[in-house]
Amino acid sequence: METRLQQLFQILRWCGAAMIVAAAGTFLVQSWDQVGDVPRYLTLLGMTALLPALAYVCGIRMQEGRSARVLMLTLLALVPIHAGVLGGFVLSQFGTDTRSLGPVAQWVAPSPLAALLLVAGAGLALIPLIWAAFRVLARPHARLLTAASVASHALLLVPDRSSLAATLTVVPIFGLTVYSAARVKPQTLESKLAVAFLVAPAVVIASRQLLFYYVTSAFWGAILGTGALALFALGRKSGEAAIERFAIVPTLLSVAAFVDATGPWWPTLSASSVWLAYGLISSIPLLAFAWTSSRSKAFFVRGAVILN
């Protein structure tokens, strides 16, 4: 007689096989491209809604909480995909020209009303699922994490693909992630991953911008600078000096990106003068880090001195 663990493994094997078949069928069925973008997205939405049901079976009926948590983490990992697709629908009706994109990167809504209805309907379906996932993974902070997740993913809907718009959406996402991590202070692996998924929309925006749109040095400078602040803040909150000090890497890269972006402003300067300016500018955030951290003060001061 099979044990519960064996039954669980059997279910997981069948689920894995079904997903592989479905993924292969997506490319093998020749008439799939005739279905249209909207029915394909609704299929994705329906498949996503099955994950909490599977998690319920694993966690309640089979008393296998670890598998249930993995399924809820999988749900959180799918949310940025939903937001990205919905952002494509919104862009197709309210954004600028997208003819330069390949067909694989386009999701086209039939009308402006259809785009808005898709966003509203998906929101009504996904927000309770997100809340349920955070209730499983970080119960005391489910409301905070749900609000932060919804706000972060909503920025993927902005129908503007300029480098400035990307910068103005990525930076708040990093800020929300750092704020949530400081409030939640996750201890378990599942809660840490749940908080980490809050930054996923920023990863999607940065990847989308890099693959399909124009990217400036200032864009990367803003992302790296925000990442440096996030690392430093997380290092201080967790008491990990290594994390705190690692912030020097994105800090120096951020300053370099901003110096490159402002290069046309000083075309007559020599390379040595530009390097001197880079050292002086880099010293400002490093000395600020040293001033706010007694644990890593000597490290950041030494870095500032070496650069100059």
Side-chain angles (χ1 to χ4, degrees):
M1 183 176 180
E2 293 183 345
T3 64
R4 288 185 176 181
L5 185 60
Q6 292 173 331
Q7 293 175 356
L8 174 63
F9 288 159
Q10 184 71 9
I11 291 175
L12 292 178
R13 282 196 290 269
W14 279 107
C15 289
M19 286 187 285
I20 293 174
V21 171
T26 299
F27 297 97
L28 291 177
V29 178
Q30 295 181 356
S31 60
W32 180 250
D33 58 342
Q34 301 175 5
V35 175
D37 291 337
V38 174
R40 275 189 289 172
Y41 174 69
L42 294 178
T43 302
L44 173 64
L45 187 61
M47 293 295 293
T48 303
L50 290 177
L51 290 176
L54 291 174
Y56 174 82
V57 172
C58 291
I60 303 300
R61 295 298 179 88
M62 305 188 68
Q63 300 298 314
E64 182 55 42
R66 180 175 298 179
S67 297
R69 291 191 292 271
V70 170
L71 287 169
M72 299 311 277
L73 284 170
T74 305
L75 170 63
L76 292 180
L78 290 177
V79 175
I81 299 175
H82 283 274
V85 173
L86 292 172
F89 286 137
V90 173
L91 179 69
S92 69
Q93 298 299 323
F94 302 99
T96 55
D97 184 23
T98 60
R99 288 177 295 178
S100 61
L101 295 179
V104 70
Q106 296 185 25
W107 289 83
V108 181
S111 67
L113 178 60
L116 295 176
L117 289 176
L118 281 168
V119 172
L124 291 175
L126 290 174
I127 291 176
L129 299 182
I130 296 171
W131 175 81
F134 284 125
R135 284 280 293 178
V136 172
L137 300 169
R139 181 181 295 269
H141 307 282
R143 290 186 180 181
L144 170 64
L145 294 175
T146 301
S149 179
V150 172
S152 297
H153 287 93
L155 294 175
L156 274 167
L157 304 179
V158 176
D160 189 340
R161 298 297 186 261
S162 67
S163 184
L164 176 61
T167 303
L168 295 178
T169 51
V170 166
V171 171
I173 293 173
F174 275 115
L176 276 173
T177 303
V178 174
Y179 173 78
S180 300
R183 286 285 304 274
V184 174
K185 297 179 181 178
Q187 302 297 324
T188 64
L189 176 61
E190 289 86 358
S191 61
K192 290 178 180 178
L193 289 173
V195 174
F197 277 128
L198 295 178
V199 82
V203 176
V204 173
I205 293 173
S207 302
R208 182 178 66 189
Q209 200 71 20
L210 179 63
L211 292 173
F212 303 116
Y213 302 100
Y214 178 67
V215 177
T216 63
S217 297
F219 170 74
W220 291 116
I223 291 180
L224 290 167
T226 306
L229 292 173
L231 283 173
F232 183 76
L234 289 176
R236 290 197 64 193
K237 289 290 184 180
S238 63
E240 293 287 342
I243 297 176
E244 191 176 271
R245 294 173 183 178
F246 188 72
I248 192 173
V249 176
T251 298
L252 297 180
L253 293 175
S254 175
V255 174
F258 280 120
V259 169
D260 179 72
T262 57
W265 296 357
W266 42 38
T268 59
L269 292 181
S270 63
S272 59
S273 298
V274 173
W275 175 254
L276 177 62
Y278 171 75
L280 292 173
I281 297 172
S282 298
S283 299
I284 297 175
L286 295 184
L287 292 176
F289 287 158
W291 182 62
T292 55
S293 173
S294 58
R295 180 173 49 244
S296 302
K297 182 176 182 178
F299 174 81
F300 288 114
V301 170
R302 191 183 307 116
V305 171
I306 291 174
L307 287 171
N308 291 275

